[in-house]
C-alpha cells in the first residue's frame, strides 16, 4: 500500500497531526515527482515519508477577488487554516491514532481508509471556502505531473455541462493518465436532480450514515422525554430540573421574530439569565446561537429544527449545554412551554456521549444530493454511497471546531458531516484496491465497487432514505453502499478506455471546439460512425423514455471483463416496472481468464406513461458464487 499515492485537493493540511505520522514507512516511491512547497508557517520539514508533497494554488482566487489573501487570517502556503482539508486527507489515508476523539465523543483509534498509503496535498480553497475552478484545474494538472494514483476532491459547483466544468475537464486528463478521480456529489438533498460532478469519468459519491450517534435527552416538567443529539464538553447542567423558556417569549420588545431564532441582540438578558432557552433553527448555525444565549446569561439551549422534513440531526460542537431535537419534538416542547406558567416550565438535559449499534444503518443522508443526472440523464449518478455523517477525523489547530472566530477552543480531531466526508472514504478505498490490483484502470476499480455494493440490510429490506424513511432508490444511492472486501474480488468488471469516453462525447454531439475544451487536444468525431450514449460501458443503466405514445425500444450494449477465475455467468433481471419488457442477449456468458464478452440489454415499453415517472430494477450476472450487480433506473419524460 505504501506505493499508492493519494492526492487531496482541498484547503491544505495541518502537518503536525499524528494522522500524518510516517513512523515505519520506507523510502518515498521512485515514481513520485512532486515536492513540498514552502510558505508562511510551512517548511520542507513539514513533509515526511507519509505526507510526501504539499503545494498551494491561489492565482485564480486572488485574481477573482481583486486582492491578495488576508495573511492575518490564513497562511500563504499549504498549511490548513480551516480544517476541511486536514479532515478529508486523514479520512482517506490517515495513519492510526490511538485515543482520538472530539471532547471524548467517538473515542477510539482513528485511521484512514488506506492508512499506509502516501498523501500529497494541493491547497486550492481559501478564506470563506473559496475554491476557484482555475486553481483546482491547475492543481489537477500538477497532481498528474507529480504522479499521484488517486485524486480526492471534496468540492464542486452546481451541475455543469462538461465543457463548462473545470473539474470535469481536469478529471478527464487525470483519467487519461490512469488516475481515479473521486468527487463529492454535493449537499443539496433530498431535492431531485441536483447531484453534481456527474461526468462519467468521475466517481461520484453520495453520503450514508454510520451505526453511531451522539444522543442527548431532555425531560420536561410534565415527565415527557425527547431524544436529540449534541457534542458538548464542559460543565453539565444540574440533575435537578431547571427553568426552561421559549426564546420568542424571552426576546426584546419588537424583536420577537428574530428572538425565537436567538439572533444577535434579540434576547432579553433579564428573561434569559440562569435558564435553558429553546431556540428555533434559522439565520445562524447551532453553536452561534448557543454563544448568543450564553452571552446573555443562558445556561443551556434546546435547538429545534424548523422543517418537518428535516429529520436528520447532525451533531455540532456546542459552546454550552445544548440538545438539538427534531421538528415534531420541538413542536411538542413548544406546546408544553405555552401551556405552562412561564415561571413553572422546567427541564433537565443529560448526555449519553457515544452510542453504537444504531439501527437501521446505513441510511441515505438527507443532505446527500440525488439524481437523476441533470446533465446526461442516461448516466446514473451518484455511483455509490459511503459514510459521510458525523465523521471523526484530524483537524487544524488554526481553526476552532465551530470554525467561528468567537470560539477559543482548539482540537486535534473534529466531527463533520457532508459528501465532503464521503468522498475521501471512497478515495481511500480506491487506493486500497489499487494497491492490490495495480494494473486495474480507474473504471475497473469503480466498477468493482459498484457491482459489489449492497442495497439491503441483513433482513433483506432495502436501505432507507432519511428524508422520508422510505426505501431509497438508485437515484439516492446509485449502485448502493460500498463493500470494500467484496470489491477486491468482483469477478467481472465493466472497463472503460479513453476512446470510450471520446465516443461518449461524440454521442452528445460535441463540436470540434467543445471536444478541444474538454479533452484539450484536437479531436474530430467521425461523421460516418454512429455514436450512442447508451453504449458507454458503464456499470449501471439509466433508461430514459422520451416522446409520446407508441412503442419505445432502447438498447444498451456492455462488455464484461473477467478479472477472476474462468467460469460461466447467468443473467437475472429484477424490475418493478411491469410495463417495460427487458431482454438480454446472450443470457449466459462463459469466460476464460481475462476474457472479454459483450452483451446487449433491450428495454421495450408501449409508450404509455405509468403513474410514476420513475421505476427501478437491477441486472445480475452470477456464476453461483459471485454476483455482479448493476442498478437500473427508468425515467419517463
Amino acid at each position: 500500500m505504501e506505493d499508492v499515492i493519494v492526492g487531496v485537493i482541498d484547503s491544505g493540511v495541518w502537518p503536525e497531526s499524528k494522522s500524518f505520522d510516517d513512523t515505519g514507512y520506507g523510502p518515498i516511491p521512485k515514481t513520485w515527482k512532486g515536492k513540498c512547497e514552502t510558505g508562511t508557517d510551512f517548511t520542507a520539514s513539514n513533509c515526511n515519508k507519509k505526507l510526501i508533497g504539499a503545494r498551494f494554488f491561489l492565482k485564480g482566487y486572488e485574481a477573482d477577488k481583486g486582492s491578495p489573501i488576508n495573511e492575518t487570517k490564513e497562511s500563504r502556503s499549504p498549511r490548513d487554516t480551516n480544517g476541511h482539508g486536514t479532515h478529508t486527507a486523514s479520512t482517506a489515508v490517515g495513519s492510526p491514532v490511538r485515543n482520538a476523539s472530539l471532547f471524548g465523543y467517538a473515542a477510539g483509534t482513528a485511521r484512514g481508509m488506506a492508512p499506509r498509503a502516501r498523501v500529497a496535498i494541493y491547497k486550492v480553497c481559501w478564506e470563506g471556502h473559496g475554491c476557484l475552478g482555475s486553481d483546482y484545474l491547475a492543481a489537477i494538472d500538477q497532481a498528474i505531473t507529480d504522479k499521484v494514483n488517486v485524486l480526492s476532491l471534496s468540492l464542486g459547483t452546481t451541475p455543469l455541462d462538461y465543457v463548462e466544468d473545470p473539474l470535469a475537464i481536469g478529471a478527464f486528463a487525470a483519467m487519461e493518465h490512469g488516475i481515479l478521480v473521486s468527487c463529492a456529489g454535493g449537499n443539496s438533498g433530498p431535492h431531485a436532480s441536483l447531484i453534481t460532478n456527474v461526468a462519467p469519468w468521475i466517481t461520484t459519491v453520495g453520503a450514508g450514515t454510520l451505526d453511531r450517534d451522539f444522543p442527548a435527552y431532555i425531560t420536561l416538567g410534565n415527565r415527557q422525554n425527547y431524544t436529540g443529539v449534541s457534542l458538548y464538553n464542559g460543565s453539565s447542567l444540574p440533575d435537578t430540573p431547571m427553568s426552561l423558556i421559549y426564546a420568542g417569549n424571552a426576546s426584546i420588545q419588537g424583536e420577537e421574530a428574530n428572538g425565537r431564532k436567538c439572533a444577535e441582540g434579540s434576547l432579553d438578558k433579564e428573561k434569559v439569565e440562569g435558564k435553558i432557552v429553546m431556540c428555533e433553527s434559522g439565520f445562524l448555525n447551532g453553536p452561534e446561537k448557543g454563544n448568543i444565549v450564553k452571552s446573555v446569561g443562558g445556561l443551556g439551549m434546546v435547538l429545534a429544527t424548523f422543517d418537518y422534513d428535516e429529520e436528520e440531526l447532525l451533531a455540532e460542537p456546542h459552546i454550552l449545554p445544548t440538545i438539538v431535537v427534531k421538528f415534531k419534538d420541538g413542536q411538542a416542547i413548544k406546546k408544553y412551554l405555552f401551556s405552562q406558567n412561564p415561571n413553572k416550565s422546567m427541564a433537565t438535559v443529560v448526555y449519553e456521549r457515544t452510542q453504537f449499534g444504531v439501527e437501521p444503518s446505513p441510511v441515505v443522508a438527507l443532505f446527500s444530493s440525488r439524481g437523476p443526472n441533470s446533465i446526461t440523464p442516461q448516466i446514473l449518478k451518484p455511483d455509490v454511497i459511503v459514510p459521510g455523517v458525523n465523521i471523526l477525523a484530524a483537524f487544524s489547530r488554526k481553526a476552532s471546531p465551530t470554525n467561528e472566530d468567537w470560539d477559543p477552543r482548539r482540537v486535534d480531531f473534529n466531527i463533520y458531516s457532508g459528501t465532503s466526508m464521503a468522498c475521501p472514504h471512497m478515495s481511500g478505498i480506491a487506493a486500497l484496491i489499487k494497491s492490490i490490483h495495480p494494473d486495474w484502470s480507474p473504471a475497473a476499480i469503480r466498477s468493482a465497487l459498484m457491482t459489489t455494493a449492497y442495497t439491503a440490510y441483513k433482513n433483506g429490506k432495502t436501505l432507507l432514505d432519511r428524508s422520508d424513511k422510505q426505501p431509497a432508490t438508485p437515484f439516492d444511492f446509485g449502485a448502493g453502499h460500498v463493500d470494500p472486501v467484496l470489491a477486491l474480488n468482483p469477478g467481472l468488471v465493466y472497463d472503460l478506455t479513453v476512446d470510450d469516453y471520446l465516443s461518449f462525447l461524440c454521442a452528445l454531439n460535441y463540436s470540434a471546439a467543445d471536444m478541444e475544451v474538454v479533452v484539450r487536444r484536437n479531436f474530430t468525431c467521425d461523421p460516418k460512425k454512429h455514436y450512442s450514449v447508451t453504449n458507454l460501458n458503464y456499470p449501471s443503466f439509466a433508461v430514459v423514455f422520451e416522446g409520446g405514445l407508441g412503442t419505445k425500444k432502447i438498447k444498451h450494449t456492455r462488455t464484461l471483463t473477467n478479472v477472476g477465475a474462468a467460469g460461466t455467468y447467468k443473467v437475472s433481471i429484477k424490475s418493478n416496472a411491469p410495463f417495460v419488457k427487458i431482454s438480454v442477449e446472450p443470457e449466459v456468458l462463459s469466460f476464460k481468464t481475462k476474457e472479454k464478452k459483450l452483451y446487449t440489454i433491450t428495454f421495450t415499453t408501449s409508450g404509455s406513461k405509468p403513474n410514476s415517472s420513475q421505476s427501478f430494477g437491477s441486472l445480475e450476472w452470477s456464476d453461483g458464487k459471485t454476483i455482479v450487480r448493476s442498478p437500473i433506473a427508468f425515467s419517463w419524460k
Side-chain angles (χ1 to χ4, degrees):
M1 194 190 302
E2 290 184 16
D3 290 335
V4 179
I5 303 164
V6 177
V8 178
I9 298 179
D10 209 296
S11 67
V13 66
W14 188 258
E16 292 82 7
S17 171
K18 292 180 181 179
S19 292
F20 307 111
D21 180 26
D22 67 349
T23 301
Y25 276 74
I28 293 171
K30 293 181 180 179
T31 57
W32 176 241
K33 305 300 180 185
K35 69 175 185 178
C36 196
E37 291 184 345
T38 60
T40 309
D41 299 326
F42 205 95
T43 67
S45 63
N46 286 127
C47 291
N48 57 26
K49 293 178 181 178
K50 171 76 172 183
L51 174 59
I52 62 174
R55 298 179 184 268
F56 62 103
F57 301 80
L58 46 57
K59 288 182 179 179
Y61 181 74
E62 289 188 331
D64 182 74
K65 190 178 180 183
S67 63
I69 64 166
N70 184 348
E71 294 193 57
T72 64
K73 291 189 174 182
E74 54 188 337
S75 299
R76 196 181 190 87
S77 74
R79 182 167 291 279
D80 182 11
T81 54
N82 75 42
H84 192 273
T86 301
H87 199 280
T88 57
S90 61
T91 298
V93 300
S95 298
V97 181
R98 298 179 63 184
N99 301 316
S101 74
L102 172 64
F103 306 141
Y105 291 90
T109 298
R111 57 168 60 83
M113 294 294 97
R116 295 295 294 178
R118 320 276 184 154
V119 64
I121 299 297
Y122 300 85
K123 181 179 178 180
V124 301
C125 298
W126 301 87
E127 184 181 349
H129 293 278
C131 318
L132 265 288
S134 57
D135 288 332
Y136 55 74
L137 179 54
I140 294 172
D141 286 348
Q142 186 61 61
I144 294 169
T145 301
D146 290 347
K147 303 292 186 183
V148 304
N149 304 110
V150 175
L151 267 176
S152 187
L153 295 97
S154 290
L155 44 88
T157 61
T158 55
L160 295 172
D161 191 279
Y162 314 126
V163 75
E164 301 171 347
D165 187 351
L167 203 158
I169 293 167
F172 192 96
M175 172 275 299
E176 282 193 284
H177 288 82
I179 300 168
L180 183 140
V181 181
S182 170
C183 290
N187 302 326
S188 299
H191 309 291
S193 300
L194 293 178
I195 186 77
T196 189
N197 293 326
V198 296
W201 49 88
I202 290 173
T203 299
T204 311
V205 189
T209 63
L210 294 167
D211 63 345
R212 180 183 67 194
D213 208 350
F214 310 107
Y217 308 95
I218 181 170
T219 301
L220 304 181
N222 61 3
R223 298 185 180 180
Q224 292 299 305
N225 300 297
Y226 302 96
T227 301
V229 299
S230 186
L231 295 173
Y232 169 71
N233 181 57
S235 300
S236 297
L237 293 171
D239 294 335
T240 54
M242 291 181 60
S243 182
L244 174 67
I245 190 169
Y246 175 57
N249 295 335
S251 55
I252 296 170
Q253 188 172 1
E255 288 288 332
E256 289 82 7
N258 292 328
R260 63 190 179 89
K261 296 182 183 291
C262 295
E264 182 76 45
S266 66
L267 297 177
D268 188 326
K269 181 178 176 66
E270 290 187 7
K271 295 177 181 178
V272 167
E273 196 163 22
K275 298 177 182 178
I276 301 173
V277 181
M278 180 186 173
C279 306
E280 296 183 18
S281 60
F283 295 160
L284 307 170
N285 65 39
E288 285 182 282
K289 292 175 185 289
N291 189 52
I292 292 168
V293 170
K294 184 179 180 180
S295 70
V296 290
L299 297 185
M301 180 175 69
V302 178
L303 178 59
T305 58
F306 66 89
D307 188 346
Y308 185 79
D309 291 331
E310 194 171 328
E311 290 292 280
E312 184 165 68
L313 299 180
L314 303 179
E316 293 181 294
H318 295 279
I319 199 76
L320 86 168
T322 296
I323 178 172
V324 184
V325 297
K326 296 176 181 178
F327 175 84
K328 61 181 179 181
D329 293 340
Q331 292 296 99
I333 296 170
K334 186 175 176 180
K335 183 178 180 181
Y336 162 75
L337 288 171
F338 276 86
S339 69
Q340 298 289 311
N341 181 316
N343 296 322
K344 294 184 178 180
S345 300
M346 309 296 283
T348 57
V349 178
V350 296
Y351 303 95
E352 190 177 324
R353 290 284 177 177
T354 306
Q355 180 184 34
F356 297 98
V358 175
E359 293 184 350
S361 178
V363 299
V364 179
L366 182 143
F367 59 76
S368 188
S369 291
R370 316 301 171 93
N373 181 339
S374 63
I375 304 302
T376 313
Q378 297 86 354
I379 302 297
L380 182 62
K381 291 286 183 172
D383 291 313
V384 289
I385 61 168
V386 291
V389 177
N390 293 337
I391 304 300
L392 178 82
F395 203 63
S396 168
R397 292 192 68 87
K398 276 279 188 179
S400 68
T402 57
N403 277 118
E404 299 293 342
D405 292 340
W406 51 259
D407 187 353
R409 299 173 298 176
R410 295 295 182 267
V411 295
D412 293 315
F413 287 83
N414 203 359
I415 292 173
Y416 268 179
S417 296
T419 55
S420 281
M421 287 59 253
C423 170
H425 277 86
M426 172 57 71
S427 308
I429 293 167
L432 278 175
I433 296 175
K434 185 72 174 177
S435 70
I436 302 297
H437 299 289
D439 58 327
W440 282 10
S441 69
I445 294 173
R446 176 179 56 197
S447 174
L449 287 161
M450 289 177 66
T451 63
T452 58
Y454 62 92
T455 60
Y457 302 110
K458 291 181 180 179
N459 62 8
K461 293 185 177 180
T462 302
L463 302 184
L464 294 180
D465 180 347
R466 176 78 89 187
S467 69
D468 57 10
K469 298 183 177 64
Q470 296 300 308
T473 76
F475 287 138
D476 306 319
F477 56 46
H481 192 287
V482 297
D483 185 324
V485 176
L486 284 181
L488 292 172
N489 296 288
L492 309 173
V493 296
Y494 294 84
D495 208 352
L496 282 160
T497 67
V498 176
D499 287 342
D500 294 319
Y501 291 120
L502 291 171
S503 294
F504 166 80
L505 292 173
C506 289
L508 297 180
N509 296 316
Y510 269 32
S511 66
D514 289 340
M515 293 292 284
E516 187 172 0
V517 171
V518 177
V519 307
R520 291 194 273 178
R521 62 178 182 276
N522 290 326
F523 183 87
T524 302
C525 301
D526 186 348
K528 298 178 182 179
K529 187 175 180 181
H530 172 69
Y531 298 100
S532 174
V533 173
T534 62
N535 288 343
L536 185 69
N537 202 38
Y538 217 72
S540 57
F541 300 91
V543 185
V544 183
F545 293 108
E546 298 186 72
L549 298 177
T551 300
K552 305 286 190 304
K553 183 179 289 188
I554 297 176
K555 281 189 176 183
H556 291 243
T557 61
R558 294 290 190 270
T559 300
L560 285 163
T561 303
N562 182 21
V563 293
T568 298
Y569 286 77
K570 296 180 180 180
V571 74
S572 62
I573 298 287
K574 298 177 182 177
S575 171
N576 68 356
F579 28 78
V580 179
K581 180 183 177 183
I582 305 172
S583 60
V584 179
E585 179 64 35
E587 296 181 347
V588 178
L589 295 173
S590 294
F591 291 90
K592 299 175 183 177
T593 305
K594 297 184 179 181
E595 190 175 16
K596 296 178 182 288
K597 288 288 180 75
L598 180 145
Y599 72 91
T600 301
I601 180 169
T602 304
F603 306 95
T604 306
T605 180
S606 65
S608 57
K609 188 175 178 181
N611 292 331
S612 172
S613 61
Q614 299 172 353
S615 298
F616 306 95
S618 64
L619 174 148
E620 294 181 355
W621 291 96
S622 177
D623 64 353
K625 294 181 181 178
T626 302
I627 296 175
V628 184
R629 183 185 178 280
S630 294
I632 302 171
F634 301 102
S635 299
W636 280 261
K637 296 178 68 176

